[in-house]
Each structure stands twice: as structure tokens, then as C-alpha cells.
Amino acid sequence: MSVAAPPVRRRPPGRGKPSASRPVRPNAAKRRRGRATLRVVRPARPRRLPFLAISLFVVGLLIAAVAGVQAVIAQSSFRMDDLSRQAQQLQQRNGELRLEIAELGSPKHLERAARRMGLREPDPSGVRVLTVRNGDPNGPKDSGNSPGPAMAAGGVP
Amino acid sequence: MKAGTPPAQRLVALLVVLTLGLGGVLFRLVVLQVKDASALASMAFRQRVKDIQLPATRGTIYDRGGRALAMSLPAKAVFADPVIVQDRNREARVVASILHLKRRVVETRLRPVRMKDGTPVRFVYLARGVDLQTAARLEKRQLPGIGFVDESRRYYPGKDLASQVLGFVGTDGTGLDGLEAQYQDVLAGRPGHHVVEEDPRGAFIPQATNEDVPPVPGNDLLLTLDQDIQYQAESALASAVKSNHAKGGTVIVMNPQTGDILAMATYPWFDPANFARSKPSTWENGAVADVYEPGSVNKVITAAAALETGTVRPGQTFEIPDHLRLYDHVFHDAHPHAPERMTLGDIIAYSSNVGAITVAGKLGRDRFSSSLHRFGFAHDTGLDFPGESAGLLAPVDRWSGTDMGSIPIGQGIGVTPLQMASVYATIANGGVWVQPRLVRGTVGEDGRTTAGPASPTRRVVSESTARMVTRMLAYAVESGTGVEAQLPGYWVAGKTGTARKPLPHARGYGTKYMASFIGFLPASRPSLVIAAILDEPATVFGGVAAAPLFREIAHAAVARLRIPPASKPPLPPHVVRAG
């Protein structure tokens, strides 16, 4: 492996301060005195006010939009919460009504209500059994389909 | 610091103090932000986040017509954290008045209590299954230390209707008995949960964590029970028990073709919504769990086996005395009579013990025992109902000599009412046994109905045997011991049973009886099998105590199901007192 030697910095010719030993040429001094003085002119500054205003406006707009959207989302969220609570209440009410229907339709309740209204159960001996053939109530009696024992004994009118 | 201390030193001292102070702050900051950061963050998260358990709605139990027999509604459990409770007396008064509880009980529960290790108890239930309106009224009072947990409450719209079949659920909504326990997995569903973030006031924070796992409701159960027939059967049973001064009773109504059980009840029953207030003995479904000696209703197996094996012909006659000695035991008919000639039809119709024992003797113990097994004795019915019994039937090689006298007349064996009803259902169904069932299917979350599997079947006796036995049973109702079961307009086939009850803690029999009547109608086209059994009635005979109960239930059931009458079955060969 070889190690490179550090480069030696040399002053480029004609740059930097003139050394004291270097002689000043009289012609050059005369030329300098005859020319106009040069000065560094700063480049014209671009106008930043509109850019800043636009930026602020855009950022403000974005913030307002985000805030608006957030507000809408929050509002919707609360509304959803309300609606789901309302749905839950309605479901509860629906369940209660179904329960009420089931309770009102239960045989025990119906019987009690019927008794309150003065209704009574039919007496088995008072039931008239019609014997028909092929579902035709006016058709002839089925001879084989004779009434049961109690009917045969005259238990049924 | 002294007043004379030079400013440089004071500045240095101030710098040191400030450096130390800031260093401490920095150190604490590092501890909070780096070392304990995750623990603190999770603690804050836990304080903010609320995981609300959402209980699954338990499935509804419907009768065969889609009418609810058991249903659940959302409810709240009210609990207290005694550590947070501030004014115990006032809070107890408010809670007690709104929840209709005893103030002293509430006050006791609100008292701070410590566990064995000294930790204070921070959760005490005050009430379970509180309806939402009541809970909301209490919640509005904002009592410190009083909290609420979502749960559901089970309601039984028919109150005590079919209570032993339906069973009941515990306070946590788990099925504990009956179908509620048997179908716990189907009915329970899967609970869900709702994770939200809340501010210190309890209002939820929108756009924060909001995880929602909805609960999956349980499936509904469609039963074979008919609410109206169940009610009529229960009403008839309750009045029969009262009018006969009986200890209790059991009724079963079933469809012999499908095995569907339309009604099943055991008196006394209970209110499943308040099961804890009733005697545990009333919770039992006696139709499947009670084992009893069936008595003469068992003669139908003796007759069917004799006919099926060709041991006895229907027209064959026997000389039957009113008593018969078998080894050391004398068996008697119910009433004394001179020896008379009887056919198998007469033996069944007039329920002759001596006749049945004579026929069984010709059949032989092996064939008779085999018939009992084929009809389902000593095996559970396959209903899989909690607490179902298989009955008691000793292996044939352990039968004593007198067993061939007692078993043919239904003594010395134990069966459940459902097993006995299944025997008659088999005869009614042309000799084919159909497994009884209580559940027709389930209804899923999507509303789709899944029908249960069809009941397994097996042929027990031939159709001709079943038809002949049916004629004998119809003869028993027309002019035998079962005349009280006659129903105007219909021909009924059935058999009475009057069985002595064995002594509970000793060998032998006491003076108490089980009276029963099991039959079906219309006899020539059976649509219904009804078993009516009374425990210890004052009038011991099945034909007097139980047959009217059968008739009453049959009357209600044929009207409800609009079962048309059918033709009269021909009488079996008979020689005794026909007509």
C-alpha cells in the first residue's frame, strides 16, 4: 500500500496581496485613477409580501378546512352516538312490545279476559260433530264414519 | 448566604442551585418520558378508554306456532363500590325506593367491607336484571359509587306454562335446567364489546379509539309444543289433581307419526322467572325423569308380543280365574269373578291381571323381555332432556319366578311416562317406534330456519299386530275399563292403569296408587297420543281418575288441531260382555 504525500498548497500567481518586494508599475496606477469607481450592487430584492400573504391565506384556509372537517366529523360522531342510542332505545321498546304481545296473547291471559267478558268454555257434550265425506259438507254421510260411542248412545244432540 | 458574600460566589451558588433544580426536573422528565413512558401511557389509556361488554341477546324459544314462550330483553345490573359511596343512608334510601328493595339490605351492602387480605371490597351487586327504564331513573340521580352493567333478563310470557320443559336461566343468563340448559350453546350467542375513549366527565371522545365488536345473538328455538294444547293440558291436569285429591300428575300429548310432543307437564309446576322461590322438586320434568310402575297400561306390550310372536291368536280363548298362584305369590284380578273364557281382546278390555300373566307365561320370559326392550324400556328415549331416566328393568337372567307374574301387568318395572306414551305411539303408528322430540328446529341470526333432523324410527311390531292391538284398545274404551275416556264423535283406543306404588324405603308395596290412562284417537287414523297419569288419587282406578282427564285433554286437542273424526275400528274377537 502506498501513502500519498499531502498536496503542497501553492498560491496561484497574481492573486492575494502584492508582496512588498514586487514593484508597482506606474502605468497601471495611472489607468486605475482614470476609471470610474466600481462597487458591488446588491441584486434587487423580490417582493415577498404577496407570497407571504398567499401562504398565510392558504395555510389558514387549510387549517380552517381541517378544523371544519374535524368539527363535522365530531358532530357526525355525536350524531351517530345519538342515533345508535336512539336505535337501542327503539330496539328495547320493540322488545318490550313483543313481550307485551306475547303476554297478552298467552292462553292464561286470554282465558282470564274471556271470563271477564262472560264467555265460557263449551261443554263437550254440547259439541255437534258433523260427519262429511271428501270435505263436502252437503255430501252424503260416510257409513263407515259412524259417530263415536257417546253419540251412538244419544249423548250428542 | 451572608450579605457580605461577593457577587461572583452568589452567582455561582445560584447557578449550582439552578443546575441542580433543572437537573432534577430533567431527571424526572427522563424518568417519565423514557423509563416509565409506556407504563404511564398505558395507564392513561386505561383511564381514558372504556371497554363496555355487550352481552349477546339470548335466543327466543317459540312454540310450534311461532309464539314466544321464553324471550330476553336488555337489562342492567346495578352494583355499588362501597369505597366511593359517600352518604350511605341517603343512597340506600334512593336505591331501595327505585329498585323496590329493602332499605336495610341495600344499606348493608353499601357498607365498606374488607376481604381476608385487607383489600376493600369494591364491587357488590345491588340488583340484577333491572329493566332499562328503572335503571335510567336511578342513573339520573348520579349517586356516587353506584354503577351499572349491561346484561339481559329472561321473560316467560306464559308465566308457569311448560315451565318444566323450558327450564330456567340463572342470574347470569346461563341455562340451568330444561331446554334452557340443554340448548345453552344454541341459545346463548356470543358477547361482544365496545371500546371507546371518554373524557373525565364520562362523555365519549369522538375520533378517538372506537372499536366495536357487536355481539352475536343466540339462535331461536322452535319447539314442537303447542301453547294452547299445553295450556289446556295443564289446566285439565291441575283440576284433575285437585278434584281427585291427588299428590300430583303428568300429562303428555304427542303426534304418533312424527314423535312431536305437543304438550308435556307435571303438576305441581313453578314460575321459571322466580324459580328460586319454588321447591326444587317442582323443577323436575316428571314426564321424562320420574320412574313409576305403569300397571295395567303395560298389558299392551304383553298383548302385542303374544300376537307378534304368534303365541296367541286373536280369537283364541283362555279359561281365566280371578286369581293365580305363581311360586309364593297369588295374583288377583281387580274384581272377584267366576272363571270365565276370555280372548286376548277381553283380557285387554277388562284388564285381567290373571289373563295377562297367563298370556305372558305362554310367551316365555325371553321373548317377553325382548319385547319390552324393543318397545324402548330400559333405554332413554333419545330426547336427551336433562335428567331423563332410562327406567328400571332388570336383566332377564335376574328375573325371579314371580317377575313373570308382576311385569306383564306392569309391576316390578320402572318406566317414565314418556316411555309409556311412546309404547302407545308405536301401536298408533302401525308398529313403528318414532323417537319423541321437543325441538323442530332453530332460527339463526339471519332469520333462516334450520329444521331439526327427522326423528329416527324403527319397526317394533308388524302393522297387522299394531292394528289388532288398536282394535283391542278401542274395545277397552267402548265397553271395557276405559269407557270414561269416550269422546263424543270420536273412537278412542286406550288402556287404563292402576298401579300400586312401591314403598319408598322398604321392600313391597304400600296402599298408594298411580292411576293412568294412555290412549290415542281417532282409533282408526290416530293423530294424537295422550298419556294422563295421576299420582296417589283418592279414587285409585285409572278408569275413574285418569280417563276423564284424558277425555278433557283430547276434547281440547282435537278442537285445536281440527282433527276430523274417523271410522270406527272393527271390534276384536271377544266373548265377554261385548257392547
Side-chain angles (χ1 to χ4, degrees):
Chain A
M1 188 185 279
S2 63
V3 179
V8 178
R9 297 190 71 179
R10 287 183 187 156
R11 182 175 292 201
R15 286 189 70 183
K17 284 182 180 176
S19 71
S21 57
R22 201 186 281 178
V24 178
R25 285 182 289 185
N27 290 345
K30 274 181 194 169
R31 270 203 306 275
R32 250 180 236 150
R33 246 179 267 129
R35 272 195 286 188
T37 311
L38 291 175
R39 59 186 176 90
V40 178
V41 177
R42 290 195 175 192
R45 230 182 234 180
R47 289 186 149 197
R48 289 196 175 172
L49 193 62
F51 173 75
L52 256 175
I54 290 168
S55 300
L56 280 175
F57 177 74
V58 169
V59 168
L61 203 67
L62 283 173
I63 288 171
V66 169
V69 168
Q70 292 288 332
V72 168
I73 290 172
Q75 206 175 4
S76 306
S77 188
F78 281 118
R79 176 103 179 107
M80 271 172 64
D81 193 44
D82 277 352
L83 286 174
S84 68
R85 198 167 297 157
Q86 208 175 328
Q88 205 180 344
Q89 282 170 354
L90 287 172
Q91 272 177 356
Q92 168 73 12
R93 184 75 189 126
N94 176 263
E96 284 166 4
L97 289 173
R98 283 195 303 122
L99 175 65
E100 199 178 333
I101 289 170
E103 281 174 346
L104 291 174
S106 72
K108 188 175 270 182
H109 184 271
L110 288 177
E111 190 189 30
R112 211 171 290 159
R115 284 193 196 286
R116 269 202 306 271
M117 293 166 73
L119 301 176
R120 60 185 177 83
E121 283 188 50
D123 181 0
S125 62
V127 175
R128 192 185 182 100
V129 179
L130 300 175
T131 309
V132 296
R133 178 188 272 178
N134 300 330
D136 176 12
N138 300 316
K141 265 191 178 178
D142 183 350
S143 57
N145 196 8
S146 56
M151 283 186 76
V156 176
Chain B
M1 196 171 283
K2 289 174 189 174
T5 313
Q9 283 184 21
R10 273 188 285 167
L11 282 173
V12 168
L14 187 64
L15 190 67
V16 168
V17 168
L18 280 176
T19 308
L20 283 174
L22 283 173
V25 170
L26 195 69
F27 174 75
R28 185 66 185 145
L29 202 65
V30 169
V31 167
L32 292 176
Q33 290 292 328
V34 180
K35 186 172 168 279
D36 296 342
S38 59
L40 291 170
S42 63
M43 192 193 287
F45 188 71
R46 278 200 304 275
Q47 284 178 349
R48 224 168 45 240
V49 168
K50 197 171 175 187
D51 189 353
I52 304 163
Q53 292 297 313
L54 303 173
T57 308
R58 194 174 173 82
T60 302
I61 301 179
Y62 294 104
D63 84 332
R64 65 186 300 110
R67 289 166 297 181
L69 297 172
M71 59 193 294
S72 291
L73 288 182
K76 298 267 186 188
V78 183
F79 69 90
D81 181 348
V83 174
I84 304 176
V85 170
Q86 289 171 357
D87 185 346
R88 197 169 62 235
N89 287 337
R90 190 184 74 85
E91 292 192 22
R93 202 178 58 243
V94 173
V95 170
S97 71
I98 292 177
L99 300 182
H100 304 294
L101 298 171
K102 287 185 179 169
R103 193 179 60 82
R104 276 171 180 267
V105 174
V106 179
E107 200 182 326
T108 310
R109 289 189 187 170
L110 295 183
R111 275 193 192 134
V113 183
R114 288 186 178 274
M115 288 189 277
K116 281 179 184 171
D117 61 353
T119 321
V121 173
R122 303 204 58 178
F123 187 96
V124 185
Y125 276 122
L126 297 177
R128 304 292 302 268
V130 177
D131 65 88
L132 295 189
Q133 281 92 343
T134 309
R137 270 169 50 213
L138 186 59
E139 212 165 356
K140 265 186 192 167
R141 306 297 288 265
Q142 294 188 326
L143 301 173
I146 305 295
F148 302 85
V149 180
D150 284 328
E151 61 179 10
S152 67
R153 180 174 168 180
R154 199 71 166 156
Y155 292 89
Y156 298 90
K159 310 295 176 203
D160 51 13
L161 190 78
S163 53
Q164 290 124 342
V165 177
L166 299 176
F168 51 84
V169 298
T171 43
D172 60 350
T174 308
L176 298 180
D177 202 1
L179 292 174
E180 296 273 28
Q182 190 183 353
Y183 288 90
Q184 166 65 17
D185 293 343
V186 177
L187 291 164
R190 206 170 49 247
H193 66 109
H194 190 192
V195 182
V196 289
E197 287 189 43
E198 288 185 348
D199 66 13
R201 287 174 303 164
F204 97 104
I205 303 168
Q207 297 166 65
T209 308
N210 193 349
E211 188 188 331
D212 196 17
V213 179
V216 179
N219 289 349
D220 298 334
L221 219 53
L222 282 180
L223 301 191
T224 59
L225 291 183
D226 182 289
Q227 185 178 246
D228 293 334
I229 297 176
Q230 177 76 28
Y231 178 69
Q232 296 280 1
E234 286 187 6
S235 301
L237 176 60
S239 32
V241 167
K242 278 167 197 157
S243 62
N244 285 285
H245 306 288
K247 186 180 163 190
T250 295
V251 291
I252 298 169
V253 182
M254 61 188 286
N255 180 322
Q257 281 85 36
T258 60
D260 284 2
I261 295 168
L262 303 171
M264 182 182 257
T266 298
Y267 186 90
W269 36 75
F270 68 102
D271 180 2
N274 298 300
F275 68 92
R277 290 183 196 162
S278 54
K279 288 183 187 168
S281 60
T282 60
W283 302 346
E284 194 176 80
N285 182 359
V288 296
D290 285 351
V291 174
Y292 79 113
E293 295 199 14
S296 294
V297 286
N298 197 46
K299 286 173 186 164
V300 75
I301 297 182
T302 310
L307 290 171
E308 182 71 5
T309 55
T311 309
V312 172
R313 283 173 285 105
Q316 191 175 343
T317 59
F318 304 89
E319 184 77 8
I320 304 296
D322 65 351
H323 66 278
L324 178 71
R325 172 173 286 278
L326 211 61
Y327 298 96
D328 60 341
H329 192 83
V330 180
F331 292 90
H332 294 271
D333 273 349
H335 304 287
H337 62 83
E340 56 186 319
R341 294 209 73 77
M342 284 184 164
T343 62
L344 188 55
D346 291 321
I347 289 168
I348 293 296
Y350 298 102
S351 199
S352 169
N353 292 337
V354 176
I357 295 166
T358 305
V359 170
K362 290 186 179 302
L363 189 62
R365 61 169 62 194
D366 288 332
R367 285 192 292 187
F368 180 53
S369 166
S370 164
S371 288
L372 293 170
H373 282 279
R374 285 168 63 81
F375 270 103
F377 285 10
H379 310 280
D380 56 40
T381 59
L383 197 65
D384 277 343
F385 197 88
E388 184 180 4
S389 171
L392 298 166
L393 178 63
V396 69
D397 55 355
R398 286 174 52 197
W399 285 14
S400 69
T402 54
D403 276 344
M404 274 305 280
S406 57
I407 297 176
I409 60 171
Q411 301 275 183
I413 53 166
V415 296
T416 65
L418 184 61
Q419 281 177 322
M420 211 59 238
S422 287
V423 170
Y424 281 75
T426 303
I427 298 296
N429 195 34
V432 177
W433 178 87
V434 181
Q435 184 179 294
R437 64 173 189 167
L438 272 167
V439 177
R440 294 171 69 200
T442 56
V443 183
E445 192 196 350
D446 53 359
R448 201 174 282 178
T449 303
T450 308
S455 294
T457 60
R458 65 164 190 271
R459 180 160 286 284
V460 178
V461 291
S462 67
E463 197 171 350
S464 61
T465 298
R467 210 176 297 134
M468 180 52 71
V469 174
T470 299
R471 288 166 63 183
M472 291 173 182
L473 294 173
Y475 178 44
V477 175
E478 186 184 358
S479 43
T481 55
V483 289
E484 286 293 323
Q486 290 175 4
L487 183 69
Y490 291 85
W491 292 99
V492 174
K495 181 76 190 80
T496 54
T498 307
R500 292 173 73 181
K501 288 179 75 173
L503 293 166
H505 303 296
R507 287 177 70 86
Y509 293 89
T511 54
K512 291 169 178 169
Y513 286 81
M514 296 286 284
S516 58
F517 185 93
I518 307 180
F520 49 87
L521 77 162
S524 55
R525 201 177 53 224
S527 300
L528 283 176
V529 172
I530 300 170
I533 300 163
L534 289 175
D535 187 5
E536 299 181 15
T539 313
V540 298
F541 295 108
V544 179
L549 172 59
F550 170 94
R551 184 183 60 223
E552 198 175 337
I553 297 169
H555 171 66
V558 294
R560 162 80 183 124
L561 299 174
R562 297 171 183 267
I563 296 171
S567 59
K568 178 186 178 182
L571 293 179
H574 59 279
V575 292
V576 181
R577 299 171 285 188

